């Protein structure tokens, strides 16, 4: 091996300023970069600099940029799973009529996901885009566990397979859609105190977008957990209870 080859081997080494790398460390550092600089700020070169190694050393743990993005969804779901394990749903409070336990648990999952999304808003778009481009069988196990948790909850509540699919789809669509709308970029000049200039409303043509100009300030205010829960309640309380499942498709009860 000549000197150039030896130098290349050293440059591609995976022992950085914090010791030898691991996949978990690479993904955790990628999450830090995205939290700080956004998705556009993530590159193998920047991530290598963050860890004190050459970019080539990272390909052992994330063979492509797509794999790195999938890894960010993975660590998001891992954090969600840890938070759900640490904070089990509270005991059901008396209501009139009493809420079914499966609905209370879906609320708990949704609100916990909202909390994780607030910590990592720049990762939220990946929850949609990576699912669109990654077949189910190729998704990380932690991502699939999120689906498994909801499916098992509904199955154990007594719903049949068709209702499990329908409720899972409604729950997932509302939660993901709410997060994307809640955390979308709105500020044009974040440091501007006047909402008109902060949102850049002076850039919007009055004649073409009159209602948007009037409503934008209200749209920029986050709905928060209360709106997430209210929408979920409205959507899922139309779902039949397990005792009525047999009558949904016209079959006799």
């Amino acid at each position: 091996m000549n000197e150039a080859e030896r130098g290349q081997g050293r440059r591609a080494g995976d022992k950085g300023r914090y010791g030898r790398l691991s996949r978990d460390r690479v993904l955790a550092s990628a999450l830090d970069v995205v939290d700080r600089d956004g998705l556009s700020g993530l590159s193998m070169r920047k991530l290598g600099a963050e860890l004190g190694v050459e970019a080539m050393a990272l390909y052992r743990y994330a063979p492509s940029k797509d794999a790195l993005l999938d890894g960010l969804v993975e660590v998001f779901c891992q954090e969600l799973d840890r938070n759900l394990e640490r904070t089990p749903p509270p005991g059901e409070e008396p209501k009139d009529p009493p809420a079914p336990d499966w609905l209370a648990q879906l609320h708990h999952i949704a609100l916990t996901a909202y909390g994780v999304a607030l910590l990592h808003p720049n990762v939220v778009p990946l929850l949609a885009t990576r699912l669109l481009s990654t077949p189910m069988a190729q998704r990380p196990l932690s991502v699939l566990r999120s689906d498994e948790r909801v499916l098992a909850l509904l199955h154990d509540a007594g719903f049949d397979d068709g209702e499990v699919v329908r409720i899972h789809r409604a729950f997932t669509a509302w939660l993901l859609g709410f997060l994307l709308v809640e955390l979308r970029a709105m500020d044009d000049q974040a440091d501007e105190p006047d909402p008109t200039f902060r949102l850049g409303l002076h850039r919007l043509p009055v004649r073409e977008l009159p209602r948007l100009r009037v409503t934008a300030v209200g749209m920029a205010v986050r709905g928060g957990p209360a709106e997430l829960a209210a929408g979920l309640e409205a959507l899922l309380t139309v779902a039949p209870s397990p005792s009525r499942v047999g009558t949904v498709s016209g079959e006799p009860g």
Side-chain angles (χ1 to χ4, degrees):
M1 179 183 293
N2 59 36
E3 185 64 30
E5 289 172 329
R6 283 195 295 271
Q8 185 177 17
R10 284 198 299 270
R11 286 195 299 274
D14 64 353
K15 190 171 184 180
R17 66 171 67 96
Y18 305 115
R20 191 163 296 280
L21 298 184
S22 66
R23 185 169 182 274
D24 288 345
R25 180 175 292 171
V26 169
L27 293 181
S29 185
L31 183 62
D32 288 341
V33 171
V34 169
D35 285 344
R36 185 184 67 229
D37 302 329
L39 287 169
S40 62
L42 179 65
S43 67
M44 290 297 196
R45 184 183 299 275
K46 177 177 284 188
L47 184 56
E50 195 86 2
L51 290 162
V53 300
E54 291 291 331
M56 288 299 296
L58 303 177
Y59 287 94
R60 181 181 302 180
Y61 308 98
S64 67
K65 179 70 175 289
D66 282 347
L68 197 58
L69 297 179
D70 286 336
L72 289 173
V73 178
E74 181 179 355
V75 296
F76 183 99
C77 291
Q78 287 172 346
E79 185 167 340
L80 171 59
D81 195 58
R82 288 193 301 270
N83 289 356
L84 287 170
E85 292 297 329
R86 281 200 298 264
T87 56
E92 185 176 323
E93 297 179 0
K95 293 185 179 180
D96 185 24
D101 184 64
W102 62 269
L103 184 54
Q105 292 190 55
L106 286 181
H107 273 288
H108 178 60
I109 294 170
L111 293 172
T112 305
Y114 180 82
V116 177
L118 288 181
L119 294 174
H120 310 294
N122 294 326
V123 178
V124 170
L126 296 177
L127 302 180
T129 59
R130 297 314 301 165
L131 292 184
L132 286 172
S133 59
T134 307
M136 182 180 69
Q138 296 179 30
R139 295 170 194 165
L141 185 58
S142 64
V143 178
L144 297 177
R145 283 199 189 105
S146 295
D147 287 316
E148 179 70 17
R149 180 189 296 272
V150 174
L151 295 172
L153 168 63
L154 297 173
H155 175 80
D156 292 345
F159 291 104
D160 66 24
D161 289 346
E163 285 303 305
V164 166
V165 170
R166 187 179 72 80
I167 298 172
H168 172 269
R169 181 180 291 126
F171 171 77
T172 304
W174 170 251
L175 175 58
L176 181 56
F178 186 89
L179 294 178
L180 289 172
V181 171
E182 182 85 336
L183 300 176
R184 62 186 167 175
M186 292 291 287
D187 288 346
D188 184 49
Q189 300 180 51
D191 297 332
E192 173 59 58
D194 187 314
T196 298
F197 291 101
R198 187 178 71 250
L199 297 175
L201 299 186
H202 59 290
R203 302 179 187 275
L204 304 184
V206 178
R207 292 184 179 179
E208 287 83 356
L209 304 170
R211 297 314 310 165
L212 182 58
R213 282 175 58 102
V214 170
T215 313
V217 173
M219 292 169 61
V221 178
R222 288 179 177 172
E227 279 194 15
L228 172 61
L232 191 60
E233 187 83 16
L235 183 67
L236 294 183
T237 49
V238 301
S241 65
S243 63
R244 293 178 52 224
V245 167
T247 66
V248 172
S249 59
E251 299 172 2

